[in-house]
Amino acid sequence: MSRRQTRRQFLQHTTTAAAASAVLPYWFSSQRSLADDAARNPSERLRLGCIGTGDRWKAVGPDAMRFATCVAVCDVDANHAAEGQRIARERNEKAGYQEQQVDVYEDYQKVLERDDVDIVTIVTPDHWHSKIAIEALQAGKDVYCEKPLTLTINEGKQIIKVLRETGRVFQVGTQQRTEMGQRFLGAIAILRAGRIGEVKRVVCDIGGAPTCGPIPVADVPEGLNWEKWQGQAPLKEFRFKPTDSKWGNSRCHYEFRWWYEYSGGKLTDWGAHHVDIATWAIGMSESGPTSIEGLMVEHPVPLVNGMPTEDDRYNTASKFDIQVLYPNGVEMHIVSHSPQGNGILFEGTDGSFHVSRGDMKDIVGTAVADVLNKTNPLPEGAIEAVYGKKVPGSHMENFIQCVRDRSLPISDVYSHHRAMTTCHLANIAIRLGRRIEWDPVAEQIVGDPEANQWLGREQRKGYEINVTI
């Protein structure tokens, strides 16, 4: 695949695969298991390095080990690393590779230096994703990285530049593109078939972020390298307060999502899923919005010039209604609450429907019912046409297949960058408290030099991303 190839160019040169079996519901496809192939033929197994082995990795890592033999795990929390090593050894033994050593590292660069590592999974906190991914590409590795891929818009530009230069394969972990019964692909196919007419409005309900009271300074847990965990972010004291939840209130591990220092709150957490699907559905995966405005927003702490004024409690937006306008005339709202609940509402001139991880249902009209009941099924091959080839059996399986044939994964960096740009712009707008005008071609904020500085952020010395854009 050409290093300068875009998603559109790839899809234009990809033939549509055969239609899914008529005896299965339209959102399923069947294909030979690559995991079975790898198990039967040891030469088919790749060598895997796992960077970040916390809670989320326990799903991603073992999934990757269906196709690859793990040779190294890495985490700045020694407890996570030890657990990752144990799981990797068990998986290797189950696959018949019990003699394979699984080395443990605190420094991810040690994994990238290994010549025997073909692919890496990156399952770290958000603020570490881009730097590790870029250096993995430069080290000649193919990459599977959890969402959201970036902390800023400029990080997305940096990753795309390096991806084009290296020609590696990169799958983003936005599993809604393949899993959940493939109903999100089905929703896109319904729109493309014109079943609700022209799409006019989209509502992405991503839920609100939690709030909390003051979190006291606490001792850093044994085994955790707190300085290294913070990476590019400003150095802060470790804070923790036990609660009924597994993680308590904290600046670390799962709870990092609710701090602007490390993430973008719900807008980049669930927004990376629903805004991604919505952007794909309305045909804006190679473009972007023209304006973004927070119609309603609540933050747990006061902001001054967009920056939190208190550092002892969560600070990302807890409630919001953000209006996003696109050049094709579609109006999107990214909200923390809607009558339909978590999911995506598509409103067209001839009907509307709502899709979520749990179901897909008509709001006005019968587009969904007609397809599900096969009274007016989708055209043959409609689901496959959404991706451009046979729909993968799973997200990780799609990654492995693309590593082998060097094709573009279903969750590619190009489209993910565009969706995340919308999410990052939404955060800029609500943090600065004003409407943002965006040029999707130049990828610049228009007429607002102060806001334009928010496309990137200062990175702590020693943790910079050294890629010029």
Side-chain angles (χ1 to χ4, degrees), residues 14 28 70 135 260 373:
T14 304
F28 287 98
C70 184
E135 293 177 14
Y260 279 132
N373 297 331

Side-chain angles (χ1 to χ4, degrees), residues 210-468:
T211 62
C212 70
I215 307 172
V217 174
D219 292 334
V220 176
E222 184 176 354
L224 172 65
N225 186 334
W226 176 235
E227 183 277 328
K228 197 172 185 69
W229 185 96
Q230 294 177 84
Q232 64 167 280
L235 284 177
K236 297 286 186 179
E237 295 178 295
F238 183 84
R239 292 180 179 273
F240 176 79
K241 182 174 73 174
T243 67
D244 293 337
S245 72
K246 176 181 180 180
W247 299 111
N249 294 146
S250 169
R251 270 191 170 272
C252 194
H253 293 328
Y254 182 87
E255 301 300 300
F256 73 83
R257 291 164 172 83
W258 321 128
W259 303 85
Y260 279 132
E261 291 89 331
Y262 320 119
S263 185
K266 272 296 181 72
L267 282 164
T268 57
D269 185 43
W270 270 87
H273 289 301
H274 290 346
V275 175
D276 169 58
I277 295 296
T279 302
W280 193 6
I282 64 174
M284 289 287 104
S285 289
E286 294 179 30
S287 181
T290 53
S291 73
I292 307 92
E293 182 178 9
L295 305 182
M296 181 278 290
V297 60
E298 292 183 13
H299 276 98
V301 302
L303 305 183
V304 174
N305 297 323
M307 301 301 294
T309 57
E310 302 173 14
D311 65 357
D312 65 348
R313 67 195 72 200
Y314 301 153
N315 56 37
T316 61
S318 55
K319 297 180 181 179
F320 43 84
D321 179 357
I322 302 165
Q323 182 191 60
V324 183
L325 302 180
Y326 286 89
N328 62 357
V330 175
E331 175 184 356
M332 179 190 293
H333 284 258
I334 309 172
V335 302
S336 54
H337 174 77
S338 70
Q340 289 77 29
N342 184 286
I344 311 169
L345 172 67
F346 294 102
E347 297 181 349
T349 53
D350 299 332
S352 63
F353 68 90
H354 183 263
V355 60
S356 69
R357 293 188 176 185
D359 63 12
M360 184 162 54
K361 59 186 178 183
D362 293 304
I363 304 300
V364 176
T366 61
V368 171
D370 287 348
V371 171
L372 293 179
N373 297 331
K374 298 184 179 180
T375 55
N376 187 11
L378 288 170
E380 198 171 274
I383 302 296
E384 292 81 356
V386 173
Y387 175 30
K389 61 180 183 180
K390 178 172 281 189
V391 178
S394 74
H395 213 60
M396 187 63 70
E397 187 163 2
N398 176 242
F399 171 58
I400 299 300
Q401 183 63 65
C402 292
V403 167
R404 293 182 178 177
D405 64 23
R406 313 313 292 172
S407 60
L408 195 70
I410 193 169
S411 188
D412 63 284
V413 170
Y414 308 108
S415 61
H416 184 78
H417 167 61
R418 289 295 188 169
M420 290 312 304
T421 291
T422 299
C423 296
H424 292 317
L425 289 171
N427 264 327
I428 294 171
I430 63 176
R431 291 180 69 173
L432 294 180
R434 59 179 179 264
R435 182 187 183 98
I436 297 294
E437 304 292 336
W438 177 250
D439 182 340
V441 177
E443 295 192 73
Q444 294 288 315
I445 293 173
V446 178
D448 193 336
E450 179 190 6
N452 222 36
Q453 294 179 5
W454 285 64
L455 300 188
R457 60 179 276 177
E458 184 178 355
Q459 296 165 336
R460 190 157 62 93
K461 185 175 181 180
Y463 295 94
E464 303 93 339
I465 299 174
N466 297 311
V467 176
T468 303

Side-chain angles (χ1 to χ4, degrees), residues 42-114:
S43 66
E44 293 294 314
R45 291 187 72 83
L46 298 163
R47 296 299 181 102
L48 166 69
C50 297
I51 301 172
T53 56
D55 191 64
R56 175 61 188 154
W57 174 83
K58 291 177 182 177
V60 174
D63 194 20
M65 284 179 246
R66 294 191 297 131
F67 313 95
T69 301
C70 184
V71 299
V73 296
C74 171
D75 203 292
V76 298
D77 187 327
N79 303 294
H80 287 177
E83 179 71 358
Q85 183 188 47
R86 182 190 66 79
I87 292 172
R89 283 173 171 170
E90 289 179 354
R91 292 284 174 163
N92 285 348
E93 183 176 355
K94 184 177 181 180
Y97 298 89
Q98 58 270 15
E99 296 181 1
Q100 173 61 55
Q101 181 173 327
V102 180
D103 296 320
V104 176
Y105 302 98
E106 181 182 83
D107 184 354
Y108 70 90
Q109 292 172 333
K110 298 296 184 182
V111 178
L112 302 184
E113 289 169 359
R114 293 182 58 146

